[in-house]
PDB file of all heavy atoms in Angstrom:
ATOM      1  N   PRO P 159       2.951 -13.850   4.524  1.00 92.00           N
ATOM      2  CA  PRO P 159       3.263 -12.724   5.413  1.00 92.00           C
ATOM      3  C   PRO P 159       4.728 -12.317   5.323  1.00 92.00           C
ATOM      4  O   PRO P 159       5.617 -13.164   5.206  1.00 92.00           O
ATOM      5  CB  PRO P 159       2.908 -13.274   6.803  1.00 92.00           C
ATOM      6  CG  PRO P 159       1.907 -14.339   6.552  1.00 92.00           C
ATOM      7  CD  PRO P 159       2.304 -14.971   5.239  1.00 92.00           C
ATOM      8  N   GLY P 160       4.973 -11.030   5.368  1.00 90.00           N
ATOM      9  CA  GLY P 160       6.330 -10.494   5.289  1.00 90.00           C
ATOM     10  C   GLY P 160       6.722  -9.999   3.918  1.00 90.00           C
ATOM     11  O   GLY P 160       7.723  -9.287   3.781  1.00 90.00           O
ATOM     12  N   MET P 161       5.965 -10.347   2.866  1.00 92.00           N
ATOM     13  CA  MET P 161       6.341  -9.930   1.520  1.00 92.00           C
ATOM     14  C   MET P 161       6.038  -8.446   1.315  1.00 92.00           C
ATOM     15  O   MET P 161       5.004  -7.947   1.751  1.00 92.00           O
ATOM     16  CB  MET P 161       5.581 -10.756   0.479  1.00 92.00           C
ATOM     17  CG  MET P 161       6.023 -12.203   0.398  1.00 92.00           C
ATOM     18  SD  MET P 161       5.137 -13.094  -0.902  1.00 92.00           S
ATOM     19  CE  MET P 161       6.041 -14.653  -0.865  1.00 92.00           C
ATOM     20  N   PRO P 162       6.925  -7.706   0.655  1.00 93.00           N
ATOM     21  CA  PRO P 162       6.680  -6.288   0.399  1.00 93.00           C
ATOM     22  C   PRO P 162       5.639  -6.094  -0.699  1.00 93.00           C
ATOM     23  O   PRO P 162       5.497  -6.925  -1.597  1.00 93.00           O
ATOM     24  CB  PRO P 162       8.053  -5.754  -0.030  1.00 93.00           C
ATOM     25  CG  PRO P 162       8.785  -6.945  -0.539  1.00 93.00           C
ATOM     26  CD  PRO P 162       8.272  -8.135   0.223  1.00 93.00           C
ATOM     27  N   VAL P 163       4.922  -4.982  -0.614  1.00 93.00           N
ATOM     28  CA  VAL P 163       3.903  -4.609  -1.593  1.00 93.00           C
ATOM     29  C   VAL P 163       4.257  -3.227  -2.133  1.00 93.00           C
ATOM     30  O   VAL P 163       4.515  -2.304  -1.368  1.00 93.00           O
ATOM     31  CB  VAL P 163       2.500  -4.592  -0.955  1.00 93.00           C
ATOM     32  CG1 VAL P 163       1.452  -4.224  -1.998  1.00 93.00           C
ATOM     33  CG2 VAL P 163       2.177  -5.943  -0.334  1.00 93.00           C
ATOM     34  N   ARG P 164       4.261  -3.102  -3.447  1.00 90.00           N
ATOM     35  CA  ARG P 164       4.589  -1.821  -4.063  1.00 90.00           C
ATOM     36  C   ARG P 164       3.607  -1.515  -5.184  1.00 90.00           C
ATOM     37  O   ARG P 164       2.980  -2.407  -5.751  1.00 90.00           O
ATOM     38  CB  ARG P 164       6.020  -1.816  -4.609  1.00 90.00           C
ATOM     39  CG  ARG P 164       6.289  -2.846  -5.686  1.00 90.00           C
ATOM     40  CD  ARG P 164       7.707  -2.773  -6.195  1.00 90.00           C
ATOM     41  NE  ARG P 164       8.001  -1.481  -6.782  1.00 90.00           N
ATOM     42  CZ  ARG P 164       9.189  -1.177  -7.299  1.00 90.00           C
ATOM     43  NH1 ARG P 164      10.193  -2.049  -7.252  1.00 90.00           N
ATOM     44  NH2 ARG P 164       9.393   0.003  -7.832  1.00 90.00           N
ATOM     45  N   GLY P 165       3.479  -0.234  -5.488  1.00 88.00           N
ATOM     46  CA  GLY P 165       2.624   0.216  -6.568  1.00 88.00           C
ATOM     47  C   GLY P 165       3.440   0.888  -7.654  1.00 88.00           C
ATOM     48  O   GLY P 165       4.680   0.925  -7.599  1.00 88.00           O
ATOM     49  N   PRO P 166       2.799   1.462  -8.672  1.00 86.00           N
ATOM     50  CA  PRO P 166       3.536   2.120  -9.738  1.00 86.00           C
ATOM     51  C   PRO P 166       4.326   3.332  -9.264  1.00 86.00           C
ATOM     52  O   PRO P 166       5.342   3.683  -9.869  1.00 86.00           O
ATOM     53  CB  PRO P 166       2.449   2.530 -10.735  1.00 86.00           C
ATOM     54  CG  PRO P 166       1.189   1.946 -10.271  1.00 86.00           C
ATOM     55  CD  PRO P 166       1.362   1.444  -8.887  1.00 86.00           C
ATOM     56  N   ASP P 167       3.861   3.982  -8.181  1.00 87.00           N
ATOM     57  CA  ASP P 167       4.530   5.200  -7.707  1.00 87.00           C
ATOM     58  C   ASP P 167       5.551   4.945  -6.609  1.00 87.00           C
ATOM     59  O   ASP P 167       6.406   5.802  -6.375  1.00 87.00           O
ATOM     60  CB  ASP P 167       3.489   6.200  -7.197  1.00 87.00           C
ATOM     61  CG  ASP P 167       2.524   6.619  -8.295  1.00 87.00           C
ATOM     62  OD1 ASP P 167       2.953   6.707  -9.457  1.00 87.00           O
ATOM     63  OD2 ASP P 167       1.339   6.845  -7.989  1.00 87.00           O
ATOM     64  N   GLY P 168       5.454   3.821  -5.912  1.00 90.00           N
ATOM     65  CA  GLY P 168       6.409   3.571  -4.841  1.00 90.00           C
ATOM     66  C   GLY P 168       5.934   2.478  -3.912  1.00 90.00           C
ATOM     67  O   GLY P 168       4.981   1.735  -4.195  1.00 90.00           O
ATOM     68  N   LEU P 169       6.596   2.393  -2.755  1.00 93.00           N
ATOM     69  CA  LEU P 169       6.324   1.347  -1.782  1.00 93.00           C
ATOM     70  C   LEU P 169       4.990   1.590  -1.085  1.00 93.00           C
ATOM     71  O   LEU P 169       4.669   2.707  -0.700  1.00 93.00           O
ATOM     72  CB  LEU P 169       7.459   1.303  -0.753  1.00 93.00           C
ATOM     73  CG  LEU P 169       7.433   0.146   0.257  1.00 93.00           C
ATOM     74  CD1 LEU P 169       7.636  -1.188  -0.436  1.00 93.00           C
ATOM     75  CD2 LEU P 169       8.520   0.360   1.311  1.00 93.00           C
ATOM     76  N   VAL P 170       4.215   0.500  -0.915  1.00 92.00           N
ATOM     77  CA  VAL P 170       2.920   0.570  -0.251  1.00 92.00           C
ATOM     78  C   VAL P 170       3.019   0.069   1.182  1.00 92.00           C
ATOM     79  O   VAL P 170       2.497   0.685   2.107  1.00 92.00           O
ATOM     80  CB  VAL P 170       1.868  -0.240  -1.027  1.00 92.00           C
ATOM     81  CG1 VAL P 170       0.533  -0.238  -0.293  1.00 92.00           C
ATOM     82  CG2 VAL P 170       1.693   0.317  -2.428  1.00 92.00           C
ATOM     83  N   GLY P 171       3.697  -1.051   1.406  1.00 93.00           N
ATOM     84  CA  GLY P 171       3.814  -1.629   2.738  1.00 93.00           C
ATOM     85  C   GLY P 171       4.255  -3.076   2.639  1.00 93.00           C
ATOM     86  O   GLY P 171       4.988  -3.457   1.723  1.00 93.00           O
ATOM     87  N   ARG P 172       3.790  -3.902   3.583  1.00 94.00           N
ATOM     88  CA  ARG P 172       4.144  -5.319   3.588  1.00 94.00           C
ATOM     89  C   ARG P 172       2.962  -6.142   4.089  1.00 94.00           C
ATOM     90  O   ARG P 172       2.089  -5.648   4.807  1.00 94.00           O
ATOM     91  CB  ARG P 172       5.367  -5.572   4.471  1.00 94.00           C
ATOM     92  CG  ARG P 172       5.202  -5.163   5.921  1.00 94.00           C
ATOM     93  CD  ARG P 172       6.477  -5.385   6.704  1.00 94.00           C
ATOM     94  NE  ARG P 172       6.414  -4.846   8.054  1.00 94.00           N
ATOM     95  CZ  ARG P 172       5.960  -5.514   9.109  1.00 94.00           C
ATOM     96  NH1 ARG P 172       5.545  -6.766   8.954  1.00 94.00           N
ATOM     97  NH2 ARG P 172       5.920  -4.972  10.302  1.00 94.00           N
ATOM     98  N   ILE P 173       2.952  -7.413   3.697  1.00 94.00           N
ATOM     99  CA  ILE P 173       1.889  -8.328   4.078  1.00 94.00           C
ATOM    100  C   ILE P 173       2.091  -8.750   5.539  1.00 94.00           C
ATOM    101  O   ILE P 173       3.197  -9.123   5.933  1.00 94.00           O
ATOM    102  CB  ILE P 173       1.884  -9.570   3.172  1.00 94.00           C
ATOM    103  CG1 ILE P 173       1.734  -9.164   1.701  1.00 94.00           C
ATOM    104  CG2 ILE P 173       0.781 -10.528   3.579  1.00 94.00           C
ATOM    105  CD1 ILE P 173       0.413  -8.562   1.361  1.00 94.00           C
ATOM    106  N   ILE P 174       1.013  -8.699   6.338  1.00 92.00           N
ATOM    107  CA  ILE P 174       1.096  -9.168   7.726  1.00 92.00           C
ATOM    108  C   ILE P 174       0.188 -10.366   7.978  1.00 92.00           C
ATOM    109  O   ILE P 174       0.441 -11.134   8.907  1.00 92.00           O
ATOM    110  CB  ILE P 174       0.753  -8.036   8.716  1.00 92.00           C
ATOM    111  CG1 ILE P 174      -0.639  -7.480   8.455  1.00 92.00           C
ATOM    112  CG2 ILE P 174       1.783  -6.931   8.654  1.00 92.00           C
ATOM    113  CD1 ILE P 174      -1.101  -6.502   9.513  1.00 92.00           C
TER     114      ILE P 174
END
Side-chain angles (χ1 to χ4, degrees):
M161 290 183 173
V163 181
R164 61 179 299 180
D167 299 326
L169 187 66
V170 177
R172 59 183 173 88
I173 303 293
I174 58 172

